[in-house]
Amino acid sequence: MNSDFNIVVLGSGKGSNLGAIIEAIRTGKLKATISAVMSDKPLSGFVLKAQIESLPVEIIDPKSTEHLLERIQFFAPKLIVLAGYMRILPARIVDAFAGRIINIHPSLLPQYPGLNAWQRAFADNISTAGCTVHFVDNGMDTGQIIEQSVIFRKLDDTAETFFSRIQIAEHALYPSVIQKFVDGVIGNT
Ligand code: GRF
């Protein structure tokens, strides 16, 4: 679906959230266009998914802030969507797009910021877990929280079933939050 609301998606992982965003666009739930996907991991599932969908793919050198900034600016996205991008964005980029970069994180922030969030939550036996979409600032998962989804640990949960329910929640939450930006309910683009 074509839309004036264009996004750039950054990721390094298996790309399931990218897949959910693509699917939401395909089914009309999300009225946005993906201008480009950018990754520091050329062989990732994230990149493969984008290639299968014939989306423009940019492989970036995360150490070259100048290049990344230039490539993002080239596409002039209304919103930059981090979907499993396993790097800290340089302050220069965060500042250049303040209020227009969002991330999804597999915990109920401010609990469990940083790496291995859901694994730590599972190891701690917490009964209430979930995922968070938040604005990106210069801290580690410290930006303003936009929306969260809660899941409850089941008695027979394994680490895999626990995380798979968090991911199902992510896949519903992320496209719906992006659509709220499209609708002007969140943000000022
Ligand atoms: C998700 O769990 C997300 O919360 C975290 O990284 C993971 C990316 O998963 N930031 P995928 O690559 O979208 O499957």
Side-chain angles (χ1 to χ4, degrees):
M1 129 137 329
N2 274 328
S3 161
D4 289 345
F5 196 96
N6 68 320
I7 64 176
V8 163
V9 187
L10 271 71
S12 323
K14 67 181 194 288
S16 71
N17 279 284
L18 173 63
I21 292 167
I22 291 169
E23 191 55 23
I25 292 173
R26 200 191 328 272
T27 56
K29 286 186 198 142
L30 174 55
K31 294 172 182 59
T33 302
I34 300 175
S35 291
V37 304
M38 301 187 183
S39 182
D40 56 324
K41 293 271 185 284
L43 301 178
S44 60
F46 178 87
V47 166
L48 184 65
K49 197 150 282 183
Q51 286 167 337
I52 289 168
E53 299 292 333
S54 305
L55 292 168
V57 175
E58 304 253 335
I59 302 302
I60 47 159
D61 173 0
K63 285 184 222 92
S64 174
T65 302
E66 198 59 45
H67 181 244
L68 180 55
L69 183 61
E70 190 270 318
R71 293 318 296 154
I72 296 173
Q73 279 170 338
F74 175 82
F75 291 101
K78 294 247 168 54
L79 192 66
I80 299 165
V81 174
L82 307 189
Y85 185 62
M86 300 307 287
R87 301 262 177 183
I88 302 274
L89 272 185
R92 188 130 170 261
I93 293 181
V94 173
D95 295 344
F97 296 97
R100 287 192 290 146
I101 311 177
I102 60 173
N103 181 43
I104 190 156
H105 184 78
S107 79
L108 295 176
L109 291 171
Q111 291 181 326
Y112 301 105
L115 291 176
N116 304 321
W118 68 265
Q119 291 94 330
R120 286 184 281 131
F122 185 77
D124 286 349
N125 259 311
I126 61 162
S127 57
T128 309
C131 55
T132 303
V133 178
H134 63 94
F135 284 106
V136 172
D137 65 9
N138 284 309
M140 166 81 90
D141 303 321
T142 51
Q144 188 193 338
I145 291 171
I146 300 171
E147 232 174 282
Q148 298 182 307
S149 282
V150 172
I151 67 125
F152 298 102
R153 184 182 178 131
K154 293 181 180 172
L155 282 177
D156 60 352
D157 260 343
T158 62
E160 288 70 33
T161 58
F162 180 74
F163 182 52
S164 74
R165 293 211 318 293
I166 292 176
Q167 283 237 287
I168 290 167
E170 289 188 333
H171 300 161
L173 182 66
Y174 219 5
S176 92
V177 168
I178 298 168
Q179 181 60 37
K180 287 181 185 169
F181 278 89
V182 177
D183 290 337
V185 176
I186 308 170
N188 51 14
T189 50

